Amino acid sequence: MPRFFVPSTNIDDKTVKITAPDAVHIGRSLRMRLGDDITVCCQAVEYYCNILTISDDEVVCRIVSKKRCESEPNIDLTLFQAIPKGDKLDMIVQKAVELGAGRICPVLTARCVSRPDKKSFDKKLERLNRIALEAAKQSGRGIIPRVSELLSFDQAASELGKCDFPLICYEGGGINLSQAGLKENSSIGVFIGSEGGFDPREVEICTQNGVAAVGLGKRILRCETAPITAISIIMNLTGNI
Protein backbone atom coordinates (compact mmCIF):
# COMPACT_ATOMS: atom_id res chain seq x y z
CA MET A 1 0.00 0.00 0.00
CA PRO A 2 1.44 3.44 -0.91
CA ARG A 3 2.86 5.34 2.10
CA PHE A 4 3.05 9.11 2.53
CA PHE A 5 4.12 11.44 5.32
CA VAL A 6 2.21 14.55 6.41
CA PRO A 7 2.53 17.14 9.20
CA SER A 8 0.11 16.99 12.12
CA THR A 9 -1.61 20.16 10.87
CA ASN A 10 -2.94 18.12 7.92
CA ILE A 11 -4.86 15.71 10.14
CA ASP A 12 -8.19 16.12 11.94
CA ASP A 13 -10.56 13.61 13.55
CA LYS A 14 -11.88 12.21 10.27
CA THR A 15 -9.61 13.19 7.38
CA VAL A 16 -6.01 13.57 6.26
CA LYS A 17 -4.83 16.01 3.60
CA ILE A 18 -1.88 15.20 1.35
CA THR A 19 -0.58 18.21 -0.55
CA ALA A 20 1.64 18.72 -3.63
CA PRO A 21 4.05 17.34 -4.77
CA ASP A 22 2.79 14.07 -3.23
CA ALA A 23 -0.73 14.87 -4.44
CA VAL A 24 0.55 15.07 -8.01
CA HIS A 25 2.41 11.77 -7.57
CA ILE A 26 -0.73 10.05 -6.28
CA GLY A 27 -2.93 11.19 -9.15
CA ARG A 28 -0.57 11.25 -12.10
CA SER A 29 2.23 8.72 -11.40
CA LEU A 30 0.43 6.13 -9.26
CA ARG A 31 -2.89 6.77 -11.04
CA MET A 32 -4.84 6.18 -7.85
CA ARG A 33 -8.58 6.69 -7.86
CA LEU A 34 -11.35 7.62 -5.45
CA GLY A 35 -11.85 4.90 -2.85
CA ASP A 36 -8.32 3.50 -3.16
CA ASP A 37 -6.55 2.59 0.08
CA ILE A 38 -3.52 4.55 1.22
CA THR A 39 -1.30 4.74 4.32
CA VAL A 40 -0.40 8.12 5.79
CA CYS A 41 2.19 8.52 8.56
CA CYS A 42 2.67 11.27 11.11
CA GLN A 43 4.84 11.18 14.23
CA ALA A 44 5.11 7.38 14.24
CA VAL A 45 1.35 6.86 13.86
CA GLU A 46 -0.02 5.11 10.78
CA TYR A 47 -3.39 6.22 9.43
CA TYR A 48 -5.13 3.73 7.14
CA CYS A 49 -7.31 5.72 4.78
CA ASN A 50 -9.21 5.70 1.54
CA ILE A 51 -9.22 8.53 -0.95
CA LEU A 52 -12.16 10.96 -1.02
CA THR A 53 -10.92 13.60 -3.49
CA ILE A 54 -7.92 13.97 -5.80
CA SER A 55 -6.38 17.06 -7.40
CA ASP A 56 -2.84 18.18 -8.21
CA ASP A 57 -2.95 20.47 -5.17
CA GLU A 58 -4.50 18.20 -2.58
CA VAL A 59 -5.65 14.66 -1.92
CA VAL A 60 -8.22 14.31 0.88
CA CYS A 61 -8.46 10.91 2.56
CA ARG A 62 -10.97 9.49 5.03
CA ILE A 63 -9.40 7.90 8.11
CA VAL A 64 -10.54 4.30 8.48
CA SER A 65 -8.25 3.34 11.38
CA LYS A 66 -4.96 4.26 12.98
CA LYS A 67 -2.28 2.63 15.12
CA ARG A 68 1.24 3.15 16.40
CA CYS A 69 3.78 2.26 13.72
CA GLU A 70 5.17 -1.15 14.68
CA SER A 71 8.31 -0.69 12.58
CA GLU A 72 9.60 2.16 14.76
CA PRO A 73 12.27 0.99 17.24
CA ASN A 74 11.89 1.34 20.99
CA ILE A 75 15.08 3.42 21.15
CA ASP A 76 16.02 6.86 19.84
CA LEU A 77 19.24 6.25 17.93
CA THR A 78 21.40 9.05 16.52
CA LEU A 79 24.25 8.25 14.15
CA PHE A 80 27.15 10.70 14.27
CA GLN A 81 29.05 9.99 11.06
CA ALA A 82 32.42 11.53 10.19
CA ILE A 83 32.32 12.75 6.57
CA PRO A 84 33.57 10.05 4.16
CA LYS A 85 34.92 10.53 0.66
CA GLY A 86 32.77 10.58 -2.47
CA ASP A 87 29.14 9.57 -2.28
CA LYS A 88 29.50 7.06 0.57
CA LEU A 89 27.37 9.22 2.84
CA ASP A 90 24.41 8.66 0.51
CA MET A 91 24.49 4.91 1.18
CA ILE A 92 25.17 5.38 4.90
CA VAL A 93 22.08 7.59 5.24
CA GLN A 94 19.93 5.15 3.29
CA LYS A 95 20.97 2.10 5.30
CA ALA A 96 20.90 3.89 8.66
CA VAL A 97 17.28 4.91 8.02
CA GLU A 98 16.32 1.39 6.91
CA LEU A 99 17.84 -0.04 10.09
CA GLY A 100 16.01 2.36 12.41
CA ALA A 101 18.19 5.42 13.09
CA GLY A 102 16.16 8.45 14.10
CA ARG A 103 18.73 11.08 13.12
CA ILE A 104 21.99 11.22 11.15
CA CYS A 105 24.54 13.91 12.01
CA PRO A 106 27.44 14.38 9.56
CA VAL A 107 30.61 15.46 11.41
CA LEU A 108 33.90 17.01 10.33
CA THR A 109 36.66 15.28 12.30
CA ALA A 110 40.46 15.63 12.24
CA ARG A 111 41.07 12.76 9.81
CA CYS A 112 38.31 13.45 7.30
CA VAL A 113 39.80 13.53 3.81
CA SER A 114 36.69 15.20 2.43
CA ARG A 115 36.45 18.61 4.10
CA PRO A 116 33.45 20.55 2.74
CA ASP A 117 32.67 23.93 4.23
CA LYS A 118 29.23 24.57 5.68
CA LYS A 119 28.00 26.39 2.59
CA SER A 120 28.94 23.63 0.15
CA PHE A 121 27.65 20.90 2.45
CA ASP A 122 24.32 22.66 2.88
CA LYS A 123 23.81 22.21 -0.87
CA LYS A 124 24.00 18.42 -0.34
CA LEU A 125 21.53 18.37 2.54
CA GLU A 126 18.44 18.46 0.35
CA ARG A 127 19.59 15.34 -1.52
CA LEU A 128 20.55 13.54 1.69
CA ASN A 129 17.18 14.25 3.27
CA ARG A 130 15.45 13.13 0.09
CA ILE A 131 17.38 9.85 0.35
CA ALA A 132 16.21 9.57 3.98
CA LEU A 133 12.60 10.17 2.93
CA GLU A 134 12.67 7.51 0.22
CA ALA A 135 14.36 5.04 2.58
CA ALA A 136 11.69 5.74 5.22
CA LYS A 137 8.93 5.03 2.71
CA GLN A 138 10.60 1.88 1.40
CA SER A 139 11.28 0.41 4.84
CA GLY A 140 7.90 1.25 6.35
CA ARG A 141 9.10 3.78 8.90
CA GLY A 142 6.60 5.87 10.86
CA ILE A 143 8.81 8.97 10.88
CA ILE A 144 11.19 10.64 8.46
CA PRO A 145 14.65 10.59 10.06
CA ARG A 146 16.48 13.84 9.44
CA VAL A 147 20.02 14.49 8.29
CA SER A 148 21.36 17.43 10.26
CA GLU A 149 23.63 20.23 9.13
CA LEU A 150 27.37 19.59 9.25
CA LEU A 151 28.72 19.53 12.82
CA SER A 152 32.20 20.22 14.11
CA PHE A 153 33.81 17.60 16.33
CA ASP A 154 33.15 19.71 19.43
CA GLN A 155 29.49 20.12 18.48
CA ALA A 156 29.12 16.41 17.86
CA ALA A 157 30.81 15.51 21.15
CA SER A 158 28.45 17.85 22.99
CA GLU A 159 25.36 16.38 21.29
CA LEU A 160 26.63 12.83 21.82
CA GLY A 161 27.04 13.51 25.53
CA LYS A 162 23.32 14.28 25.86
CA CYS A 163 22.37 10.69 24.96
CA ASP A 164 21.59 8.13 27.66
CA PHE A 165 24.17 5.81 26.07
CA PRO A 166 26.91 7.70 24.20
CA LEU A 167 29.22 5.43 22.20
CA ILE A 168 32.23 5.92 19.96
CA CYS A 169 33.34 3.07 17.70
CA TYR A 170 37.13 3.00 17.87
CA GLU A 171 39.41 0.83 15.80
CA GLY A 172 41.90 1.01 18.67
CA GLY A 173 39.61 -1.15 20.75
CA GLY A 174 37.01 -0.83 23.46
CA ILE A 175 34.32 -2.81 25.18
CA ASN A 176 31.97 -5.08 23.27
CA LEU A 177 28.63 -3.50 22.45
CA SER A 178 26.96 -6.26 24.46
CA GLN A 179 28.77 -4.87 27.53
CA ALA A 180 27.46 -1.32 27.10
CA GLY A 181 24.29 -1.99 29.10
CA LEU A 182 21.96 -0.72 26.39
CA LYS A 183 18.30 -0.53 27.35
CA GLU A 184 14.96 -0.14 25.63
CA ASN A 185 13.23 3.25 25.69
CA SER A 186 16.53 5.12 25.84
CA SER A 187 18.50 7.48 23.63
CA ILE A 188 21.64 6.04 22.08
CA GLY A 189 24.29 7.95 20.15
CA VAL A 190 26.96 6.17 18.13
CA PHE A 191 29.95 8.01 16.63
CA ILE A 192 31.65 6.48 13.57
CA GLY A 193 34.93 7.71 12.04
CA SER A 194 35.86 8.41 8.44
CA GLU A 195 38.34 6.43 6.30
CA GLY A 196 41.23 7.39 8.58
CA GLY A 197 39.37 6.59 11.78
CA PHE A 198 39.60 8.90 14.78
CA ASP A 199 42.56 10.86 16.07
CA PRO A 200 43.43 9.38 19.51
CA ARG A 201 42.93 12.81 21.05
CA GLU A 202 39.33 12.85 19.80
CA VAL A 203 38.65 9.50 21.43
CA GLU A 204 40.31 10.73 24.63
CA ILE A 205 38.09 13.83 24.71
CA CYS A 206 35.00 11.68 24.27
CA THR A 207 35.91 9.10 26.88
CA GLN A 208 36.85 11.80 29.40
CA ASN A 209 33.30 13.10 28.99
CA GLY A 210 31.61 9.78 29.67
CA VAL A 211 31.43 8.35 26.14
CA ALA A 212 32.08 4.61 26.01
CA ALA A 213 34.63 3.43 23.43
CA VAL A 214 33.37 0.25 21.77
CA GLY A 215 34.90 -2.17 19.31
CA LEU A 216 33.28 -3.90 16.35
CA GLY A 217 35.42 -7.02 16.29
CA LYS A 218 39.00 -7.81 15.36
CA ARG A 219 38.67 -6.79 11.71
CA ILE A 220 38.97 -3.21 10.51
CA LEU A 221 35.70 -2.23 8.85
CA ARG A 222 35.28 0.36 6.12
CA CYS A 223 33.69 3.63 7.20
CA GLU A 224 30.54 2.72 5.26
CA THR A 225 30.39 -0.78 6.78
CA ALA A 226 30.92 0.26 10.40
CA PRO A 227 27.67 2.23 10.87
CA ILE A 228 25.59 -0.54 9.31
CA THR A 229 27.26 -3.07 11.61
CA ALA A 230 26.96 -0.93 14.75
CA ILE A 231 23.30 -0.02 14.21
CA SER A 232 22.41 -3.63 13.43
CA ILE A 233 24.04 -4.87 16.64
CA ILE A 234 22.43 -2.12 18.71
CA MET A 235 19.00 -2.88 17.28
CA ASN A 236 19.47 -6.58 18.01
CA LEU A 237 20.63 -5.95 21.58
CA THR A 238 17.59 -3.76 22.28
CA GLY A 239 15.10 -6.20 20.78
CA ASN A 240 14.46 -4.30 17.55
CA ILE A 241 15.66 -6.98 15.13
Side-chain angles (χ1 to χ4, degrees):
M1 186 183 300
R3 174 180 295 259
F4 294 90
F5 293 87
V6 300
S8 59
T9 52
N10 285 27
I11 302 174
D12 60 30
D13 291 339
K14 296 181 179 180
T15 62
V16 175
K17 295 179 182 179
I18 303 171
T19 56
D22 284 339
V24 176
H25 183 63
I26 289 169
R28 295 181 181 270
S29 299
L30 296 179
R31 298 185 180 276
M32 299 187 76
R33 296 291 181 261
L34 301 185
D36 284 353
D37 295 329
I38 193 168
T39 302
V40 181
C41 298
C42 178
Q43 299 176 350
V45 175
E46 292 178 332
Y47 296 83
Y48 299 97
C49 310
N50 48 49
I51 297 174
L52 294 176
T53 67
I54 297 178
S55 72
D56 286 349
D57 296 321
E58 183 179 86
V59 174
V60 179
C61 306
R62 179 176 67 88
I63 297 173
V64 177
S65 64
K66 66 178 182 178
K67 69 173 185 177
R68 184 77 179 172
C69 180
E70 295 179 353
S71 65
E72 281 304 305
N74 58 29
I75 57 171
D76 179 14
L77 190 149
T78 300
L79 170 64
F80 296 87
Q81 176 65 53
I83 295 292
K85 295 186 292 185
D87 59 359
K88 295 176 183 177
L89 188 57
D90 292 10
M91 187 191 76
I92 291 171
V93 167
Q94 181 188 66
K95 302 310 176 188
V97 170
E98 289 180 21
L99 288 167
R103 185 167 64 125
I104 299 97
C105 297
V107 186
L108 195 60
T109 61
R111 292 187 177 178
C112 287
V113 176
S114 176
R115 307 194 68 81
D117 58 29
K118 184 180 183 302
K119 184 177 180 180
S120 62
F121 187 80
D122 283 348
K123 294 179 181 178
K124 300 179 181 180
L125 266 182
E126 183 178 352
R127 185 186 78 250
L128 291 170
N129 277 299
R130 189 164 59 248
I131 290 170
L133 170 60
E134 293 305 318
K137 289 180 178 179
Q138 179 274 321
S139 58
R141 295 290 301 270
I143 64 168
I144 308 171
R146 302 299 296 172
V147 183
S148 78
E149 64 181 14
L150 183 62
L151 303 181
S152 68
F153 172 79
D154 289 341
Q155 289 173 321
S158 175
E159 287 293 313
L160 181 62
K162 297 175 183 178
C163 297
D164 297 329
F165 293 94
L167 311 169
I168 183 168
C169 292
Y170 184 41
E171 65 277 9
I175 62 172
N176 191 289
L177 272 168
S178 63
Q179 300 172 310
L182 305 180
K183 297 179 181 178
E184 299 178 8
N185 303 310
S186 63
S187 61
I188 300 172
V190 57
F191 201 169
I192 305 290
S194 62
E195 290 85 356
F198 288 106
D199 184 285
R201 178 58 181 160
E202 292 174 328
V203 179
E204 183 181 353
I205 291 172
C206 285
T207 55
Q208 286 177 348
N209 286 279
V211 179
V214 297
L216 294 176
K218 297 181 179 180
R219 294 166 297 281
I220 302 298
L221 304 181
R222 290 181 178 272
C223 66
E224 65 269 34
T225 308
I228 296 172
T229 303
I231 295 173
S232 297
I233 295 172
I234 290 169
M235 290 297 171
N236 183 56
L237 290 172
T238 55
N240 289 291
I241 291 181

